[in-house]
Structure formats: structure tokens, C-alpha cells
Amino acid sequence: MNRLTNLFERKKRDILNIYFTAGYPNLNDTLVILKRLEELGVDMVEIGMPYSDPLADGATIQQTSQLALKNGMTLDILFEQLATMRSTIQLPVVLMGYFNQVLQYGEERFFEQCSKVGIDGLILPDLPLIEYELKYKQLFETYNLKATFLITPQTTTPR
């Protein structure tokens, strides 16, 4: 069973979810931060995948992403860092970023790497729901990854 599914079945409310940008403040801090967050009792973690053109992110995430990229963070390095994650980290981990990153990396390759290192889900705010349903839902299911979609106050009720 997916760790996210298990978390939400076990704990119905008051879930503490923390976000941090991979490669920030230092390139090799990812596992150190994950381990410390787990020790502090965090329920789940979102790891931001730094991107050179973070259109939808606020100033803080834009700044941490730019510094992480300057530190040398790439998706390949992130997956290398996460390769041993599940030997010590048990909490659910979600990657958050832009779908263009997935396209550039290669969709199948990206999903396979996520599954291989123990990622539980993805937040890709610019992945249109119709594209997900028509093209990518099967990949999410094949690799046991949960998709999280975001809405805004302007999102219509039918949507």
C-alpha cells in the first residue's frame, strides 16, 4: 500500500506536511532534512524540485530554487540522493514541481525513478487534469504514485 494512502486512512485530520526545496540550503542536505523532519514527528514531506522558471511559485520558493540550482541540484542528483532514502526514512514523500521538468527528463524514466527511490506521490500544478486522465493516469498507477491536484479560490465547483 502507498504510504500516503496509509497515512490518510490512519490519520483523518491534523496532518503536518512540510515543504522544502531539494538542494537548499546546501546541495547535499536533502536526506539530512528528511531524517530530521521525521524525527520531529512530521507526517509527510513535499520536496520541491528546483526549476529555472518557477512561474507559479512565490518569492521564497523562487529564491530557494535559484540557490539550489546554483548549488548544482538536478533531477539526476536528487534521485541519487533519494536512492537510499527508504533504508532510514519511513514517512510519505511527495515531489512537487513543474510538468515541464517531467517532460524534459522523460515521462516514463521520471515515473520509474520516483518509484525506484520510494516517492509516494507527485504535485505537478501545471499538469492539466484532462492530460492526466488521457495520458498519464496509467503511469501514476503503474508506478504506485498518487497525484495531488491544486485548486484556487477561482476554481469553479463543477471543475
Side-chain angles (χ1 to χ4, degrees), residues 5-44:
T5 304
N6 187 26
L7 171 64
F8 286 102
E9 285 179 358
R10 180 176 44 82
K11 195 170 181 181
K12 302 294 183 197
R13 51 182 289 185
D14 299 328
I15 293 172
L16 179 57
N17 178 20
I18 300 293
Y19 171 96
F20 73 91
T21 302
Y24 177 85
N26 300 299
L27 179 62
N28 295 312
D29 285 346
T30 305
L31 288 178
V32 173
I33 292 170
L34 274 173
K35 187 63 177 166
R36 186 66 181 137
L37 289 173
E38 185 170 65
E39 289 168 355
L40 292 170
V42 168
D43 295 306
M44 63 180 281

mmCIF file of all heavy atoms in Angstrom, residues 5-44:
data_model
loop_
_atom_site.group_PDB
_atom_site.id
_atom_site.type_symbol
_atom_site.label_atom_id
_atom_site.label_comp_id
_atom_site.label_asym_id
_atom_site.label_seq_id
_atom_site.Cartn_x
_atom_site.Cartn_y
_atom_site.Cartn_z
ATOM 1 N N THR A 5 -1.635 6.797 1.126
ATOM 2 C CA THR A 5 -2.935 6.174 1.389
ATOM 3 C C THR A 5 -2.998 5.709 2.838
ATOM 4 O O THR A 5 -3.982 5.963 3.537
ATOM 5 C CB THR A 5 -3.161 4.980 0.438
ATOM 6 O OG1 THR A 5 -3.045 5.437 -0.907
ATOM 7 C CG2 THR A 5 -4.512 4.346 0.652
ATOM 8 N N ASN A 6 -1.949 5.065 3.299
ATOM 9 C CA ASN A 6 -1.889 4.585 4.677
ATOM 10 C C ASN A 6 -2.011 5.740 5.668
ATOM 11 O O ASN A 6 -2.755 5.658 6.649
ATOM 12 C CB ASN A 6 -0.590 3.809 4.888
ATOM 13 C CG ASN A 6 -0.538 3.129 6.235
ATOM 14 O OD1 ASN A 6 -1.553 2.804 6.822
ATOM 15 N ND2 ASN A 6 0.671 2.924 6.719
ATOM 16 N N LEU A 7 -1.294 6.836 5.407
ATOM 17 C CA LEU A 7 -1.344 7.992 6.300
ATOM 18 C C LEU A 7 -2.766 8.536 6.406
ATOM 19 O O LEU A 7 -3.274 8.762 7.502
ATOM 20 C CB LEU A 7 -0.405 9.099 5.803
ATOM 21 C CG LEU A 7 -0.525 10.444 6.521
ATOM 22 C CD1 LEU A 7 -0.142 10.332 7.992
ATOM 23 C CD2 LEU A 7 0.329 11.494 5.814
ATOM 24 N N PHE A 8 -3.422 8.730 5.266
ATOM 25 C CA PHE A 8 -4.752 9.337 5.282
ATOM 26 C C PHE A 8 -5.835 8.381 5.787
ATOM 27 O O PHE A 8 -6.882 8.830 6.244
ATOM 28 C CB PHE A 8 -5.100 9.910 3.909
ATOM 29 C CG PHE A 8 -4.353 11.185 3.619
ATOM 30 C CD1 PHE A 8 -3.252 11.184 2.789
ATOM 31 C CD2 PHE A 8 -4.742 12.372 4.214
ATOM 32 C CE1 PHE A 8 -2.552 12.355 2.526
ATOM 33 C CE2 PHE A 8 -4.049 13.556 3.966
ATOM 34 C CZ PHE A 8 -2.952 13.544 3.120
ATOM 35 N N GLU A 9 -5.586 7.091 5.747
ATOM 36 C CA GLU A 9 -6.518 6.141 6.347
ATOM 37 C C GLU A 9 -6.333 6.088 7.867
ATOM 38 O O GLU A 9 -7.279 5.926 8.614
ATOM 39 C CB GLU A 9 -6.342 4.750 5.748
ATOM 40 C CG GLU A 9 -6.910 4.630 4.352
ATOM 41 C CD GLU A 9 -6.719 3.257 3.744
ATOM 42 O OE1 GLU A 9 -6.114 2.367 4.385
ATOM 43 O OE2 GLU A 9 -7.172 3.070 2.601
ATOM 44 N N ARG A 10 -5.096 6.229 8.298
ATOM 45 C CA ARG A 10 -4.760 6.140 9.723
ATOM 46 C C ARG A 10 -5.055 7.434 10.475
ATOM 47 O O ARG A 10 -5.488 7.422 11.613
ATOM 48 C CB ARG A 10 -3.268 5.794 9.823
ATOM 49 C CG ARG A 10 -2.687 5.659 11.193
ATOM 50 C CD ARG A 10 -1.228 5.209 11.175
ATOM 51 N NE ARG A 10 -0.371 5.853 10.201
ATOM 52 C CZ ARG A 10 0.199 7.050 10.374
ATOM 53 N NH1 ARG A 10 -0.008 7.741 11.461
ATOM 54 N NH2 ARG A 10 0.987 7.556 9.440
ATOM 55 N N LYS A 11 -4.832 8.558 9.805
ATOM 56 C CA LYS A 11 -4.949 9.865 10.457
ATOM 57 C C LYS A 11 -5.870 10.741 9.616
ATOM 58 O O LYS A 11 -5.505 11.166 8.525
ATOM 59 C CB LYS A 11 -3.551 10.491 10.582
ATOM 60 C CG LYS A 11 -3.478 11.645 11.527
ATOM 61 C CD LYS A 11 -2.025 12.034 11.776
ATOM 62 C CE LYS A 11 -1.977 13.184 12.763
ATOM 63 N NZ LYS A 11 -0.628 13.626 13.031
ATOM 64 N N LYS A 12 -7.036 11.027 10.126
ATOM 65 C CA LYS A 12 -8.062 11.727 9.352
ATOM 66 C C LYS A 12 -7.913 13.249 9.368
ATOM 67 O O LYS A 12 -8.504 13.927 8.549
ATOM 68 C CB LYS A 12 -9.460 11.356 9.859
ATOM 69 C CG LYS A 12 -9.762 9.873 9.808
ATOM 70 C CD LYS A 12 -9.812 9.373 8.389
ATOM 71 C CE LYS A 12 -10.186 7.905 8.366
ATOM 72 N NZ LYS A 12 -9.899 7.267 7.130
ATOM 73 N N ARG A 13 -7.157 13.784 10.309
ATOM 74 C CA ARG A 13 -7.013 15.235 10.404
ATOM 75 C C ARG A 13 -5.713 15.585 11.107
ATOM 76 O O ARG A 13 -5.007 14.714 11.598
ATOM 77 C CB ARG A 13 -8.205 15.853 11.128
ATOM 78 C CG ARG A 13 -8.506 15.195 12.463
ATOM 79 C CD ARG A 13 -9.694 15.766 13.137
ATOM 80 N NE ARG A 13 -9.328 17.097 13.594
ATOM 81 C CZ ARG A 13 -10.085 17.885 14.315
ATOM 82 N NH1 ARG A 13 -11.272 17.509 14.634
ATOM 83 N NH2 ARG A 13 -9.670 19.056 14.718
ATOM 84 N N ASP A 14 -5.414 16.873 11.127
ATOM 85 C CA ASP A 14 -4.211 17.382 11.799
ATOM 86 C C ASP A 14 -2.939 16.733 11.258
ATOM 87 O O ASP A 14 -2.061 16.313 12.011
ATOM 88 C CB ASP A 14 -4.302 17.188 13.318
ATOM 89 C CG ASP A 14 -5.476 17.925 13.928
ATOM 90 O OD1 ASP A 14 -5.836 18.994 13.411
ATOM 91 O OD2 ASP A 14 -6.043 17.422 14.908
ATOM 92 N N ILE A 15 -2.841 16.657 9.952
ATOM 93 C CA ILE A 15 -1.652 16.105 9.295
ATOM 94 C C ILE A 15 -0.662 17.240 9.063
ATOM 95 O O ILE A 15 -1.006 18.258 8.463
ATOM 96 C CB ILE A 15 -2.035 15.414 7.978
ATOM 97 C CG1 ILE A 15 -2.877 14.170 8.296
ATOM 98 C CG2 ILE A 15 -0.796 15.060 7.165
ATOM 99 C CD1 ILE A 15 -3.473 13.497 7.090
ATOM 100 N N LEU A 16 0.540 17.051 9.556
ATOM 101 C CA LEU A 16 1.585 18.058 9.384
ATOM 102 C C LEU A 16 2.421 17.710 8.157
ATOM 103 O O LEU A 16 3.113 16.698 8.127
ATOM 104 C CB LEU A 16 2.477 18.138 10.632
ATOM 105 C CG LEU A 16 3.625 19.152 10.563
ATOM 106 C CD1 LEU A 16 3.108 20.566 10.289
ATOM 107 C CD2 LEU A 16 4.437 19.103 11.854
ATOM 108 N N ASN A 17 2.332 18.564 7.146
ATOM 109 C CA ASN A 17 3.031 18.391 5.877
ATOM 110 C C ASN A 17 4.009 19.555 5.727
ATOM 111 O O ASN A 17 3.612 20.707 5.782
ATOM 112 C CB ASN A 17 2.004 18.399 4.737
ATOM 113 C CG ASN A 17 2.637 18.279 3.372
ATOM 114 O OD1 ASN A 17 3.761 17.832 3.235
ATOM 115 N ND2 ASN A 17 1.903 18.701 2.367
ATOM 116 N N ILE A 18 5.286 19.239 5.559
ATOM 117 C CA ILE A 18 6.324 20.264 5.442
ATOM 118 C C ILE A 18 6.913 20.219 4.030
ATOM 119 O O ILE A 18 7.156 19.149 3.476
ATOM 120 C CB ILE A 18 7.450 20.035 6.479
ATOM 121 C CG1 ILE A 18 6.909 20.090 7.908
ATOM 122 C CG2 ILE A 18 8.602 21.017 6.274
ATOM 123 C CD1 ILE A 18 6.415 21.441 8.347
ATOM 124 N N TYR A 19 7.173 21.409 3.476
ATOM 125 C CA TYR A 19 7.787 21.551 2.156
ATOM 126 C C TYR A 19 9.205 22.078 2.332
ATOM 127 O O TYR A 19 9.446 22.964 3.157
ATOM 128 C CB TYR A 19 6.977 22.554 1.316
ATOM 129 C CG TYR A 19 7.638 22.938 0.013
ATOM 130 C CD1 TYR A 19 7.290 22.291 -1.162
ATOM 131 C CD2 TYR A 19 8.611 23.929 -0.046
ATOM 132 C CE1 TYR A 19 7.896 22.626 -2.362
ATOM 133 C CE2 TYR A 19 9.228 24.267 -1.237
ATOM 134 C CZ TYR A 19 8.867 23.617 -2.386
ATOM 135 O OH TYR A 19 9.469 23.950 -3.576
ATOM 136 N N PHE A 20 10.112 21.567 1.531
ATOM 137 C CA PHE A 20 11.435 22.188 1.409
ATOM 138 C C PHE A 20 11.956 21.950 -0.005
ATOM 139 O O PHE A 20 11.519 21.038 -0.699
ATOM 140 C CB PHE A 20 12.426 21.695 2.482
ATOM 141 C CG PHE A 20 12.942 20.292 2.283
ATOM 142 C CD1 PHE A 20 14.109 20.054 1.569
ATOM 143 C CD2 PHE A 20 12.273 19.208 2.838
ATOM 144 C CE1 PHE A 20 14.599 18.760 1.405
ATOM 145 C CE2 PHE A 20 12.747 17.922 2.676
ATOM 146 C CZ PHE A 20 13.911 17.694 1.949
ATOM 147 N N THR A 21 12.867 22.792 -0.416
ATOM 148 C CA THR A 21 13.435 22.714 -1.760
ATOM 149 C C THR A 21 14.681 21.839 -1.740
ATOM 150 O O THR A 21 15.589 22.061 -0.935
ATOM 151 C CB THR A 21 13.800 24.125 -2.271
ATOM 152 O OG1 THR A 21 12.621 24.941 -2.250
ATOM 153 C CG2 THR A 21 14.363 24.068 -3.678
ATOM 154 N N ALA A 22 14.712 20.849 -2.623
ATOM 155 C CA ALA A 22 15.893 19.979 -2.740
ATOM 156 C C ALA A 22 17.108 20.814 -3.130
ATOM 157 O O ALA A 22 17.028 21.678 -3.993
ATOM 158 C CB ALA A 22 15.640 18.902 -3.792
ATOM 159 N N GLY A 23 18.214 20.548 -2.456
ATOM 160 C CA GLY A 23 19.453 21.250 -2.770
ATOM 161 C C GLY A 23 19.616 22.584 -2.064
ATOM 162 O O GLY A 23 20.559 23.323 -2.351
ATOM 163 N N TYR A 24 18.724 22.878 -1.138
ATOM 164 C CA TYR A 24 18.786 24.124 -0.390
ATOM 165 C C TYR A 24 18.717 23.813 1.102
ATOM 166 O O TYR A 24 17.899 22.975 1.498
ATOM 167 C CB TYR A 24 17.614 25.054 -0.761
ATOM 168 C CG TYR A 24 17.601 26.324 0.044
ATOM 169 C CD1 TYR A 24 18.363 27.406 -0.347
ATOM 170 C CD2 TYR A 24 16.860 26.415 1.221
ATOM 171 C CE1 TYR A 24 18.373 28.573 0.407
ATOM 172 C CE2 TYR A 24 16.875 27.564 1.989
ATOM 173 C CZ TYR A 24 17.629 28.637 1.576
ATOM 174 O OH TYR A 24 17.667 29.783 2.323
ATOM 175 N N PRO A 25 19.497 24.396 1.949
ATOM 176 C CA PRO A 25 20.450 25.454 1.662
ATOM 177 C C PRO A 25 21.749 24.955 1.037
ATOM 178 O O PRO A 25 22.483 25.726 0.430
ATOM 179 C CB PRO A 25 20.710 26.088 3.025
ATOM 180 C CG PRO A 25 20.435 25.016 4.022
ATOM 181 C CD PRO A 25 19.375 24.139 3.394
ATOM 182 N N ASN A 26 22.026 23.649 1.182
ATOM 183 C CA ASN A 26 23.233 23.081 0.578
ATOM 184 C C ASN A 26 22.842 21.900 -0.301
ATOM 185 O O ASN A 26 21.837 21.236 -0.051
ATOM 186 C CB ASN A 26 24.207 22.603 1.667
ATOM 187 C CG ASN A 26 24.630 23.740 2.575
ATOM 188 O OD1 ASN A 26 25.221 24.714 2.132
ATOM 189 N ND2 ASN A 26 24.294 23.629 3.853
ATOM 190 N N LEU A 27 23.637 21.615 -1.282
ATOM 191 C CA LEU A 27 23.329 20.592 -2.269
ATOM 192 C C LEU A 27 22.994 19.248 -1.634
ATOM 193 O O LEU A 27 22.049 18.582 -2.036
ATOM 194 C CB LEU A 27 24.501 20.431 -3.248
ATOM 195 C CG LEU A 27 24.329 19.377 -4.327
ATOM 196 C CD1 LEU A 27 23.149 19.712 -5.246
ATOM 197 C CD2 LEU A 27 25.610 19.226 -5.135
ATOM 198 N N ASN A 28 23.732 18.845 -0.623
ATOM 199 C CA ASN A 28 23.569 17.503 -0.056
ATOM 200 C C ASN A 28 22.759 17.450 1.236
ATOM 201 O O ASN A 28 22.902 16.517 2.017
ATOM 202 C CB ASN A 28 24.952 16.873 0.151
ATOM 203 C CG ASN A 28 25.649 16.642 -1.167
ATOM 204 O OD1 ASN A 28 25.065 16.096 -2.096
ATOM 205 N ND2 ASN A 28 26.885 17.105 -1.271
ATOM 206 N N ASP A 29 21.870 18.411 1.436
ATOM 207 C CA ASP A 29 21.073 18.461 2.660
ATOM 208 C C ASP A 29 19.776 17.649 2.601
ATOM 209 O O ASP A 29 19.107 17.491 3.631
ATOM 210 C CB ASP A 29 20.708 19.912 3.007
ATOM 211 C CG ASP A 29 21.880 20.678 3.586
ATOM 212 O OD1 ASP A 29 22.889 20.053 3.963
ATOM 213 O OD2 ASP A 29 21.780 21.923 3.661
ATOM 214 N N THR A 30 19.406 17.125 1.457
ATOM 215 C CA THR A 30 18.089 16.507 1.283
ATOM 216 C C THR A 30 17.806 15.416 2.315
ATOM 217 O O THR A 30 16.798 15.470 3.031
ATOM 218 C CB THR A 30 17.932 15.956 -0.146
ATOM 219 O OG1 THR A 30 18.200 17.018 -1.075
ATOM 220 C CG2 THR A 30 16.538 15.408 -0.382
ATOM 221 N N LEU A 31 18.658 14.421 2.411
ATOM 222 C CA LEU A 31 18.412 13.327 3.356
ATOM 223 C C LEU A 31 18.536 13.765 4.804
ATOM 224 O O LEU A 31 17.793 13.281 5.665
ATOM 225 C CB LEU A 31 19.347 12.154 3.077
ATOM 226 C CG LEU A 31 19.040 11.349 1.819
ATOM 227 C CD1 LEU A 31 20.065 10.231 1.632
ATOM 228 C CD2 LEU A 31 17.635 10.779 1.846
ATOM 229 N N VAL A 32 19.428 14.685 5.081
ATOM 230 C CA VAL A 32 19.590 15.202 6.439
ATOM 231 C C VAL A 32 18.289 15.887 6.880
ATOM 232 O O VAL A 32 17.797 15.658 7.989
ATOM 233 C CB VAL A 32 20.777 16.189 6.513
ATOM 234 C CG1 VAL A 32 20.851 16.869 7.872
ATOM 235 C CG2 VAL A 32 22.086 15.481 6.187
ATOM 236 N N ILE A 33 17.722 16.707 6.002
ATOM 237 C CA ILE A 33 16.473 17.408 6.316
ATOM 238 C C ILE A 33 15.335 16.410 6.476
ATOM 239 O O ILE A 33 14.555 16.496 7.437
ATOM 240 C CB ILE A 33 16.159 18.463 5.236
ATOM 241 C CG1 ILE A 33 17.191 19.592 5.290
ATOM 242 C CG2 ILE A 33 14.744 19.008 5.398
ATOM 243 C CD1 ILE A 33 17.120 20.568 4.128
ATOM 244 N N LEU A 34 15.224 15.454 5.560
ATOM 245 C CA LEU A 34 14.163 14.435 5.656
ATOM 246 C C LEU A 34 14.230 13.689 6.981
ATOM 247 O O LEU A 34 13.213 13.505 7.650
ATOM 248 C CB LEU A 34 14.275 13.431 4.512
ATOM 249 C CG LEU A 34 13.600 13.781 3.208
ATOM 250 C CD1 LEU A 34 13.954 12.756 2.137
ATOM 251 C CD2 LEU A 34 12.093 13.870 3.379
ATOM 252 N N LYS A 35 15.411 13.238 7.347
ATOM 253 C CA LYS A 35 15.587 12.475 8.586
ATOM 254 C C LYS A 35 15.199 13.322 9.799
ATOM 255 O O LYS A 35 14.505 12.842 10.699
ATOM 256 C CB LYS A 35 17.033 11.976 8.708
ATOM 257 C CG LYS A 35 17.253 11.055 9.874
ATOM 258 C CD LYS A 35 16.443 9.788 9.733
ATOM 259 C CE LYS A 35 16.699 8.833 10.857
ATOM 260 N NZ LYS A 35 15.689 7.768 10.910
ATOM 261 N N ARG A 36 15.625 14.568 9.822
ATOM 262 C CA ARG A 36 15.310 15.439 10.957
ATOM 263 C C ARG A 36 13.814 15.704 11.040
ATOM 264 O O ARG A 36 13.240 15.700 12.134
ATOM 265 C CB ARG A 36 16.096 16.752 10.851
ATOM 266 C CG ARG A 36 15.929 17.634 12.053
ATOM 267 C CD ARG A 36 16.535 16.991 13.295
ATOM 268 N NE ARG A 36 16.332 17.875 14.425
ATOM 269 C CZ ARG A 36 15.948 17.487 15.623
ATOM 270 N NH1 ARG A 36 15.761 16.207 15.883
ATOM 271 N NH2 ARG A 36 15.778 18.353 16.590
ATOM 272 N N LEU A 37 13.163 15.922 9.902
ATOM 273 C CA LEU A 37 11.717 16.154 9.908
ATOM 274 C C LEU A 37 10.978 14.926 10.434
ATOM 275 O O LEU A 37 10.024 15.049 11.200
ATOM 276 C CB LEU A 37 11.227 16.537 8.509
ATOM 277 C CG LEU A 37 11.643 17.929 8.029
ATOM 278 C CD1 LEU A 37 11.257 18.123 6.568
ATOM 279 C CD2 LEU A 37 11.046 19.022 8.905
ATOM 280 N N GLU A 38 11.429 13.746 10.031
ATOM 281 C CA GLU A 38 10.801 12.524 10.540
ATOM 282 C C GLU A 38 10.995 12.412 12.054
ATOM 283 O O GLU A 38 10.065 12.083 12.786
ATOM 284 C CB GLU A 38 11.353 11.299 9.832
ATOM 285 C CG GLU A 38 10.655 10.010 10.244
ATOM 286 C CD GLU A 38 11.033 8.844 9.375
ATOM 287 O OE1 GLU A 38 12.224 8.449 9.403
ATOM 288 O OE2 GLU A 38 10.155 8.332 8.663
ATOM 289 N N GLU A 39 12.202 12.698 12.533
ATOM 290 C CA GLU A 39 12.479 12.652 13.973
ATOM 291 C C GLU A 39 11.600 13.626 14.746
ATOM 292 O O GLU A 39 11.213 13.356 15.889
ATOM 293 C CB GLU A 39 13.958 12.988 14.237
ATOM 294 C CG GLU A 39 14.920 11.919 13.794
ATOM 295 C CD GLU A 39 16.365 12.395 13.799
ATOM 296 O OE1 GLU A 39 16.637 13.591 14.068
ATOM 297 O OE2 GLU A 39 17.250 11.563 13.513
ATOM 298 N N LEU A 40 11.253 14.752 14.136
ATOM 299 C CA LEU A 40 10.435 15.773 14.791
ATOM 300 C C LEU A 40 8.942 15.482 14.718
ATOM 301 O O LEU A 40 8.135 16.237 15.250
ATOM 302 C CB LEU A 40 10.731 17.154 14.189
ATOM 303 C CG LEU A 40 12.131 17.700 14.502
ATOM 304 C CD1 LEU A 40 12.411 18.946 13.676
ATOM 305 C CD2 LEU A 40 12.276 17.987 15.987
ATOM 306 N N GLY A 41 8.559 14.382 14.035
ATOM 307 C CA GLY A 41 7.163 13.974 14.022
ATOM 308 C C GLY A 41 6.329 14.476 12.870
ATOM 309 O O GLY A 41 5.093 14.392 12.911
ATOM 310 N N VAL A 42 6.962 14.988 11.842
ATOM 311 C CA VAL A 42 6.230 15.424 10.655
ATOM 312 C C VAL A 42 5.526 14.210 10.047
ATOM 313 O O VAL A 42 6.065 13.098 10.050
ATOM 314 C CB VAL A 42 7.211 16.074 9.647
ATOM 315 C CG1 VAL A 42 6.573 16.282 8.298
ATOM 316 C CG2 VAL A 42 7.738 17.381 10.216
ATOM 317 N N ASP A 43 4.319 14.404 9.541
ATOM 318 C CA ASP A 43 3.549 13.296 8.969
ATOM 319 C C ASP A 43 3.923 12.982 7.525
ATOM 320 O O ASP A 43 3.873 11.827 7.105
ATOM 321 C CB ASP A 43 2.049 13.609 9.032
ATOM 322 C CG ASP A 43 1.556 13.692 10.456
ATOM 323 O OD1 ASP A 43 1.773 12.729 11.208
ATOM 324 O OD2 ASP A 43 0.962 14.726 10.823
ATOM 325 N N MET A 44 4.244 14.010 6.752
ATOM 326 C CA MET A 44 4.638 13.812 5.352
ATOM 327 C C MET A 44 5.444 15.017 4.895
ATOM 328 O O MET A 44 5.397 16.075 5.519
ATOM 329 C CB MET A 44 3.418 13.605 4.452
ATOM 330 C CG MET A 44 2.468 14.769 4.373
ATOM 331 S SD MET A 44 1.040 14.472 3.300
ATOM 332 C CE MET A 44 1.758 14.737 1.694
#
